[in-house]
Amino acid sequence: MKSITKFLYILLGTILLFGFLGAISGSAEGFIVSILLAILLIIYFIPSIIAFSRKCPSALAITALNLFLGWTLFGWVASLVWALRNYNY
């Protein structure tokens, strides 16, 4: 299975898990908050998704930067720029 497919399955599983946890909280607000958190998690990992889909040679390094420093705006933008870099194959 390709890396991007695995990555997308993990993100989809995260959305479903957050949705399930919000649903068992018994309130509609908990469900909505959990779905919003899952969507924010996907937005957080957009540079990694782009890197894997473009088959960047340094996709794992981009994902590591995104994971550990993406919470800073600089780290997220740096990983996005790195993922969008034009590679000559």
Side-chain angles (χ1 to χ4, degrees), residues 68-85:
F68 295 116
L69 292 176
W71 60 273
T72 65
L73 184 61
F74 177 74
W76 191 85
V77 170
S79 61
L80 181 65
V81 168
W82 193 5
L84 292 174
R85 181 176 174 256

Side-chain angles (χ1 to χ4, degrees), residues 16-89:
L16 292 175
L17 178 66
F18 275 107
F20 176 73
L21 292 175
I24 61 173
S25 70
S27 67
E29 292 85 14
F31 178 73
I32 291 170
V33 167
S34 62
I35 294 297
L36 287 176
L37 284 174
I39 291 170
L40 288 175
L41 188 66
I42 290 173
I43 291 171
Y44 183 83
F45 282 109
I46 281 178
S48 300
I49 294 169
I50 291 171
F52 278 109
S53 66
R54 296 184 76 208
K55 297 180 176 103
C56 294
S58 53
L60 291 177
I62 293 169
T63 302
L65 175 68
N66 188 209
L67 179 66
F68 295 116
L69 292 176
W71 60 273
T72 65
L73 184 61
F74 177 74
W76 191 85
V77 170
S79 61
L80 181 65
V81 168
W82 193 5
L84 292 174
R85 181 176 174 256
N86 189 13
Y87 290 97
N88 294 327
Y89 297 105

